[in-house]
Amino acid sequence: MNNLAVALVQTAIDPNKNKTLEMFLHLIAQAHADGAQLVCLPELHMSPYFPITENLAHFDLAESIPGPTTEALSKIAKKLNIVIVSSIFERRAAGLYHNTAVVIEKDGSIAGMYRKMHIPDDPGFYEKYYFTPGDLGFEPIKTSVGNLGILVCWDQWYPEAARIMALNGADLLIYPTAIGWHKDSAAGYEKDKDAWQIIQRSHAIANGLPVVVINRVGFEPDPNGQLNGTQFWGHSFVCGSQGEILVEAQEDPKILHAQLDFKQTELTRQCWPFLRDRRIDAYQEILARYR
Amino acid sequence: MNNLAVALVQTAIDPNKNKTLEMFLHLIAQAHADGAQLVCLPELHMSPYFPITENLAHFDLAESIPGPTTEALSKIAKKLNIVIVSSIFERRAAGLYHNTAVVIEKDGSIAGMYRKMHIPDDPGFYEKYYFTPGDLGFEPIKTSVGNLGILVCWDQWYPEAARIMALNGADLLIYPTAIGWHKDSAAGYEKDKDAWQIIQRSHAIANGLPVVVINRVGFEPDPNGQLNGTQFWGHSFVCGSQGEILVEAQEDPKILHAQLDFKQTELTRQCWPFLRDRRIDAYQEILARYR
């Protein structure tokens, strides 16, 4: 398998779960009609970004895997013969919840899951309240379209996560994401967004593989009125194995299509043989919290 | 110490070693006159980039540490009361050579050394022939102007190196560099240069600290006539703790000045607390060559 047509569904999310599911089924069908073999949805795409506040009632948004959302996605994946990357607020057990990416195979089966390993917590992104840190490690998910190195949002700031996925055989990295800024902090917005794009492009460069990033868009208010709400900044993108931007969205809803060429990874890694020269004898200190 | 005036000496290198030393003493004095407290020189700045070919005679370019170059730099560092980052082809013993960065303190003493850990080897950059991989680890060098996390050229592609330097208390990262392109491969030049800048800006972002990169400029022919020579691409730069470019040179000789604000590191790391959430329980696989 040398080439892969990937589609990124960048959209705003409606609070009505049924409407949201209908919208995604429609957008997935559209992405497929436009040639996509792999369709990637943004982080926690079945609801508004509820970690904007800590609220016990929000745990009711969680569902099991398999569950209603994966069942609906399995049906359409099988019907259209495509692979889908979904992101779900997973209820694993009473009092045990995860931020989990699920990959649905072309035959409708669940190919694998990744539970978000790095959990953020800062004003408006209170994820530590909801999500137990993942316990599945950095394991690419084998599918008919390649080994998908799926990482989620906050993971994107950690070169360690990208590296381990690459060493474990990922053909590409995929980051379902929900990132934006609060209206009162828009001053730093461009700098934050640039940093966000650069760090993810750097994972492509360091590891010589393509990177796919899917964010949501739209403004979502803070139900507590403590923050001025979150403006999700979109800018989903795909970059190639040298970090070069292939396609990039703006701040409105968009299905973004890209053609990945896995032969490029082989050539890039021959020209830039970083994996050859890693000093694995000298990296032990990376396992420390701090000196 | 909150602020630091740093100067990067981006220049072409003359084959005549005495002339080259005179030039650097002159440029260091000029950098100091313009306010620099820390002056950084490019990689292997005492000669043309000799690893363009494998030639036994080139080992004669190596010198001990301390040796003639560090003695000259010690003298001027003491005279001007500045810290200097130099890069030397080190003769450690018969048959044992390193690509070594040396830091000279304000009093003229040697504050510390860093021996390049990752050694490249590709056409025109035959470093594995000359340099034994470093054995001093990723240890910041304590100076009167801060803890200098010095890494050299090829190290710049390795997030592991930057991370360990940060965890070991580096206040900034400094990359003396000699990178360019061969005239026959100029097609990929912009993509390579972009990747080179992005990966280094990503180290600033991942670790919340400023990064200083000093490259040489000028065209240097291949004495063997096998390659069309190397055009060193310059573009030395300094970025802040979110990877934002503070100053950047073009492709001609230039002393680049920047003012670093170490308070920014504290604030950046509070806003973007990546160090807080590292999954040190789950990074063990980073010590593997490959799965």
Side-chain angles (χ1 to χ4, degrees), chain A residues 252-271:
Chain A
D252 34 56
K254 168 100 181 168
I255 300 180
L256 209 58
H257 289 269
Q259 195 74 28
L260 302 184
D261 177 3
F262 293 129
K263 287 191 310 299
Q264 206 53 44
T265 289
E266 190 86 25
L267 183 63
T268 298
R269 289 186 182 176
Q270 287 170 359
C271 291

PDB file of all heavy atoms in Angstrom, chain A residues 252-271:
ATOM      1  N   ASP A 252     -13.200  27.804   9.405  1.00  0.00           N
ATOM      2  CA  ASP A 252     -14.594  27.438   9.172  1.00  0.00           C
ATOM      3  C   ASP A 252     -14.696  25.947   8.827  1.00  0.00           C
ATOM      4  O   ASP A 252     -13.690  25.309   8.522  1.00  0.00           O
ATOM      5  CB  ASP A 252     -15.207  28.316   8.082  1.00  0.00           C
ATOM      6  CG  ASP A 252     -14.183  28.677   7.030  1.00  0.00           C
ATOM      7  OD1 ASP A 252     -13.583  27.741   6.458  1.00  0.00           O
ATOM      8  OD2 ASP A 252     -13.945  29.878   6.801  1.00  0.00           O
ATOM      9  N   PRO A 253     -15.909  25.408   8.882  1.00  0.00           N
ATOM     10  CA  PRO A 253     -16.082  23.970   8.617  1.00  0.00           C
ATOM     11  C   PRO A 253     -15.550  23.599   7.239  1.00  0.00           C
ATOM     12  O   PRO A 253     -15.729  24.362   6.283  1.00  0.00           O
ATOM     13  CB  PRO A 253     -17.606  23.784   8.685  1.00  0.00           C
ATOM     14  CG  PRO A 253     -18.090  24.902   9.555  1.00  0.00           C
ATOM     15  CD  PRO A 253     -17.198  26.059   9.243  1.00  0.00           C
ATOM     16  N   LYS A 254     -14.936  22.438   7.168  1.00  0.00           N
ATOM     17  CA  LYS A 254     -14.287  22.067   5.906  1.00  0.00           C
ATOM     18  C   LYS A 254     -13.934  20.580   5.971  1.00  0.00           C
ATOM     19  O   LYS A 254     -13.447  20.100   6.994  1.00  0.00           O
ATOM     20  CB  LYS A 254     -13.003  22.901   5.781  1.00  0.00           C
ATOM     21  CG  LYS A 254     -12.049  22.481   4.686  1.00  0.00           C
ATOM     22  CD  LYS A 254     -12.197  23.361   3.480  1.00  0.00           C
ATOM     23  CE  LYS A 254     -11.280  22.939   2.364  1.00  0.00           C
ATOM     24  NZ  LYS A 254     -11.610  23.600   1.097  1.00  0.00           N
ATOM     25  N   ILE A 255     -14.174  19.875   4.874  1.00  0.00           N
ATOM     26  CA  ILE A 255     -13.602  18.531   4.750  1.00  0.00           C
ATOM     27  C   ILE A 255     -12.315  18.679   3.956  1.00  0.00           C
ATOM     28  O   ILE A 255     -12.328  19.114   2.808  1.00  0.00           O
ATOM     29  CB  ILE A 255     -14.550  17.552   4.039  1.00  0.00           C
ATOM     30  CG1 ILE A 255     -15.865  17.433   4.832  1.00  0.00           C
ATOM     31  CG2 ILE A 255     -13.885  16.173   3.922  1.00  0.00           C
ATOM     32  CD1 ILE A 255     -16.869  16.484   4.191  1.00  0.00           C
ATOM     33  N   LEU A 256     -11.210  18.343   4.605  1.00  0.00           N
ATOM     34  CA  LEU A 256      -9.898  18.554   4.018  1.00  0.00           C
ATOM     35  C   LEU A 256      -9.394  17.213   3.471  1.00  0.00           C
ATOM     36  O   LEU A 256      -9.355  16.222   4.202  1.00  0.00           O
ATOM     37  CB  LEU A 256      -8.981  19.040   5.145  1.00  0.00           C
ATOM     38  CG  LEU A 256      -7.802  19.940   4.862  1.00  0.00           C
ATOM     39  CD1 LEU A 256      -8.241  21.226   4.185  1.00  0.00           C
ATOM     40  CD2 LEU A 256      -7.107  20.261   6.184  1.00  0.00           C
ATOM     41  N   HIS A 257      -9.029  17.201   2.191  1.00  0.00           N
ATOM     42  CA  HIS A 257      -8.547  15.958   1.575  1.00  0.00           C
ATOM     43  C   HIS A 257      -7.039  16.030   1.321  1.00  0.00           C
ATOM     44  O   HIS A 257      -6.527  17.074   0.921  1.00  0.00           O
ATOM     45  CB  HIS A 257      -9.255  15.718   0.237  1.00  0.00           C
ATOM     46  CG  HIS A 257     -10.691  15.335   0.391  1.00  0.00           C
ATOM     47  ND1 HIS A 257     -11.101  14.029   0.494  1.00  0.00           N
ATOM     48  CD2 HIS A 257     -11.822  16.092   0.491  1.00  0.00           C
ATOM     49  CE1 HIS A 257     -12.421  13.989   0.626  1.00  0.00           C
ATOM     50  NE2 HIS A 257     -12.892  15.234   0.631  1.00  0.00           N
ATOM     51  N   ALA A 258      -6.357  14.920   1.550  1.00  0.00           N
ATOM     52  CA  ALA A 258      -4.929  14.852   1.221  1.00  0.00           C
ATOM     53  C   ALA A 258      -4.596  13.446   0.724  1.00  0.00           C
ATOM     54  O   ALA A 258      -5.232  12.459   1.120  1.00  0.00           O
ATOM     55  CB  ALA A 258      -4.066  15.188   2.433  1.00  0.00           C
ATOM     56  N   GLN A 259      -3.601  13.398  -0.140  1.00  0.00           N
ATOM     57  CA  GLN A 259      -3.128  12.125  -0.666  1.00  0.00           C
ATOM     58  C   GLN A 259      -1.776  11.859   0.002  1.00  0.00           C
ATOM     59  O   GLN A 259      -0.830  12.632  -0.178  1.00  0.00           O
ATOM     60  CB  GLN A 259      -2.962  12.256  -2.199  1.00  0.00           C
ATOM     61  CG  GLN A 259      -2.826  10.943  -2.927  1.00  0.00           C
ATOM     62  CD  GLN A 259      -4.170  10.179  -3.017  1.00  0.00           C
ATOM     63  OE1 GLN A 259      -5.232  10.794  -3.011  1.00  0.00           O
ATOM     64  NE2 GLN A 259      -4.107   8.860  -3.075  1.00  0.00           N
ATOM     65  N   LEU A 260      -1.680  10.803   0.783  1.00  0.00           N
ATOM     66  CA  LEU A 260      -0.403  10.476   1.427  1.00  0.00           C
ATOM     67  C   LEU A 260       0.363   9.481   0.565  1.00  0.00           C
ATOM     68  O   LEU A 260      -0.223   8.556   0.000  1.00  0.00           O
ATOM     69  CB  LEU A 260      -0.634   9.878   2.814  1.00  0.00           C
ATOM     70  CG  LEU A 260      -1.409  10.760   3.790  1.00  0.00           C
ATOM     71  CD1 LEU A 260      -1.491  10.082   5.151  1.00  0.00           C
ATOM     72  CD2 LEU A 260      -0.761  12.135   3.909  1.00  0.00           C
ATOM     73  N   ASP A 261       1.665   9.686   0.507  1.00  0.00           N
ATOM     74  CA  ASP A 261       2.538   8.814  -0.282  1.00  0.00           C
ATOM     75  C   ASP A 261       3.541   8.169   0.672  1.00  0.00           C
ATOM     76  O   ASP A 261       4.504   8.801   1.088  1.00  0.00           O
ATOM     77  CB  ASP A 261       3.247   9.656  -1.349  1.00  0.00           C
ATOM     78  CG  ASP A 261       4.237   8.833  -2.162  1.00  0.00           C
ATOM     79  OD1 ASP A 261       4.326   7.599  -1.927  1.00  0.00           O
ATOM     80  OD2 ASP A 261       4.917   9.419  -3.018  1.00  0.00           O
ATOM     81  N   PHE A 262       3.304   6.910   1.020  1.00  0.00           N
ATOM     82  CA  PHE A 262       4.158   6.249   2.014  1.00  0.00           C
ATOM     83  C   PHE A 262       5.558   5.955   1.475  1.00  0.00           C
ATOM     84  O   PHE A 262       6.490   5.752   2.261  1.00  0.00           O
ATOM     85  CB  PHE A 262       3.499   4.983   2.552  1.00  0.00           C
ATOM     86  CG  PHE A 262       2.267   5.253   3.375  1.00  0.00           C
ATOM     87  CD1 PHE A 262       1.072   4.606   3.118  1.00  0.00           C
ATOM     88  CD2 PHE A 262       2.295   6.182   4.406  1.00  0.00           C
ATOM     89  CE1 PHE A 262      -0.068   4.860   3.876  1.00  0.00           C
ATOM     90  CE2 PHE A 262       1.161   6.452   5.168  1.00  0.00           C
ATOM     91  CZ  PHE A 262      -0.022   5.784   4.894  1.00  0.00           C
ATOM     92  N   LYS A 263       5.726   5.930   0.145  1.00  0.00           N
ATOM     93  CA  LYS A 263       7.079   5.780  -0.406  1.00  0.00           C
ATOM     94  C   LYS A 263       7.955   6.956   0.021  1.00  0.00           C
ATOM     95  O   LYS A 263       9.168   6.833   0.135  1.00  0.00           O
ATOM     96  CB  LYS A 263       7.038   5.724  -1.941  1.00  0.00           C
ATOM     97  CG  LYS A 263       6.505   4.424  -2.512  1.00  0.00           C
ATOM     98  CD  LYS A 263       6.729   4.319  -4.018  1.00  0.00           C
ATOM     99  CE  LYS A 263       6.265   5.532  -4.813  1.00  0.00           C
ATOM    100  NZ  LYS A 263       4.800   5.801  -4.702  1.00  0.00           N
ATOM    101  N   GLN A 264       7.323   8.105   0.234  1.00  0.00           N
ATOM    102  CA  GLN A 264       8.069   9.298   0.622  1.00  0.00           C
ATOM    103  C   GLN A 264       8.792   9.090   1.959  1.00  0.00           C
ATOM    104  O   GLN A 264       9.887   9.609   2.162  1.00  0.00           O
ATOM    105  CB  GLN A 264       7.100  10.475   0.712  1.00  0.00           C
ATOM    106  CG  GLN A 264       7.728  11.834   0.494  1.00  0.00           C
ATOM    107  CD  GLN A 264       8.524  11.918  -0.796  1.00  0.00           C
ATOM    108  OE1 GLN A 264       8.086  11.465  -1.832  1.00  0.00           O
ATOM    109  NE2 GLN A 264       9.729  12.482  -0.726  1.00  0.00           N
ATOM    110  N   THR A 265       8.185   8.339   2.861  1.00  0.00           N
ATOM    111  CA  THR A 265       8.812   8.057   4.157  1.00  0.00           C
ATOM    112  C   THR A 265      10.141   7.338   3.962  1.00  0.00           C
ATOM    113  O   THR A 265      11.161   7.698   4.568  1.00  0.00           O
ATOM    114  CB  THR A 265       7.865   7.201   5.031  1.00  0.00           C
ATOM    115  OG1 THR A 265       6.776   8.025   5.447  1.00  0.00           O
ATOM    116  CG2 THR A 265       8.583   6.644   6.251  1.00  0.00           C
ATOM    117  N   GLU A 266      10.144   6.327   3.104  1.00  0.00           N
ATOM    118  CA  GLU A 266      11.372   5.567   2.849  1.00  0.00           C
ATOM    119  C   GLU A 266      12.472   6.511   2.344  1.00  0.00           C
ATOM    120  O   GLU A 266      13.601   6.508   2.859  1.00  0.00           O
ATOM    121  CB  GLU A 266      11.084   4.486   1.790  1.00  0.00           C
ATOM    122  CG  GLU A 266      12.183   3.466   1.594  1.00  0.00           C
ATOM    123  CD  GLU A 266      12.097   2.303   2.572  1.00  0.00           C
ATOM    124  OE1 GLU A 266      10.985   2.017   3.068  1.00  0.00           O
ATOM    125  OE2 GLU A 266      13.147   1.693   2.868  1.00  0.00           O
ATOM    126  N   LEU A 267      12.144   7.326   1.364  1.00  0.00           N
ATOM    127  CA  LEU A 267      13.120   8.235   0.765  1.00  0.00           C
ATOM    128  C   LEU A 267      13.583   9.300   1.771  1.00  0.00           C
ATOM    129  O   LEU A 267      14.779   9.576   1.904  1.00  0.00           O
ATOM    130  CB  LEU A 267      12.514   8.899  -0.479  1.00  0.00           C
ATOM    131  CG  LEU A 267      13.455   9.834  -1.239  1.00  0.00           C
ATOM    132  CD1 LEU A 267      14.662   9.070  -1.788  1.00  0.00           C
ATOM    133  CD2 LEU A 267      12.716  10.551  -2.371  1.00  0.00           C
ATOM    134  N   THR A 268      12.635   9.875   2.480  1.00  0.00           N
ATOM    135  CA  THR A 268      12.995  10.896   3.474  1.00  0.00           C
ATOM    136  C   THR A 268      13.937  10.312   4.520  1.00  0.00           C
ATOM    137  O   THR A 268      14.930  10.934   4.894  1.00  0.00           O
ATOM    138  CB  THR A 268      11.726  11.448   4.168  1.00  0.00           C
ATOM    139  OG1 THR A 268      10.898  12.070   3.184  1.00  0.00           O
ATOM    140  CG2 THR A 268      12.079  12.471   5.241  1.00  0.00           C
ATOM    141  N   ARG A 269      13.632   9.105   4.969  1.00  0.00           N
ATOM    142  CA  ARG A 269      14.478   8.507   6.015  1.00  0.00           C
ATOM    143  C   ARG A 269      15.835   8.071   5.467  1.00  0.00           C
ATOM    144  O   ARG A 269      16.795   7.950   6.233  1.00  0.00           O
ATOM    145  CB  ARG A 269      13.757   7.320   6.661  1.00  0.00           C
ATOM    146  CG  ARG A 269      12.585   7.743   7.535  1.00  0.00           C
ATOM    147  CD  ARG A 269      12.013   6.533   8.259  1.00  0.00           C
ATOM    148  NE  ARG A 269      10.853   6.889   9.078  1.00  0.00           N
ATOM    149  CZ  ARG A 269      10.126   6.001   9.751  1.00  0.00           C
ATOM    150  NH1 ARG A 269      10.436   4.714   9.693  1.00  0.00           N
ATOM    151  NH2 ARG A 269       9.092   6.384  10.477  1.00  0.00           N
ATOM    152  N   GLN A 270      15.923   7.817   4.159  1.00  0.00           N
ATOM    153  CA  GLN A 270      17.247   7.539   3.570  1.00  0.00           C
ATOM    154  C   GLN A 270      18.067   8.827   3.498  1.00  0.00           C
ATOM    155  O   GLN A 270      19.263   8.837   3.800  1.00  0.00           O
ATOM    156  CB  GLN A 270      17.083   6.932   2.173  1.00  0.00           C
ATOM    157  CG  GLN A 270      16.598   5.482   2.199  1.00  0.00           C
ATOM    158  CD  GLN A 270      16.210   4.953   0.823  1.00  0.00           C
ATOM    159  OE1 GLN A 270      16.274   5.679  -0.172  1.00  0.00           O
ATOM    160  NE2 GLN A 270      15.814   3.696   0.763  1.00  0.00           N
ATOM    161  N   CYS A 271      17.415   9.916   3.084  1.00  0.00           N
ATOM    162  CA  CYS A 271      18.128  11.198   2.957  1.00  0.00           C
ATOM    163  C   CYS A 271      18.470  11.786   4.326  1.00  0.00           C
ATOM    164  O   CYS A 271      19.486  12.452   4.478  1.00  0.00           O
ATOM    165  CB  CYS A 271      17.272  12.201   2.191  1.00  0.00           C
ATOM    166  SG  CYS A 271      17.073  11.792   0.460  1.00  0.00           S
TER     167      CYS A 271
END
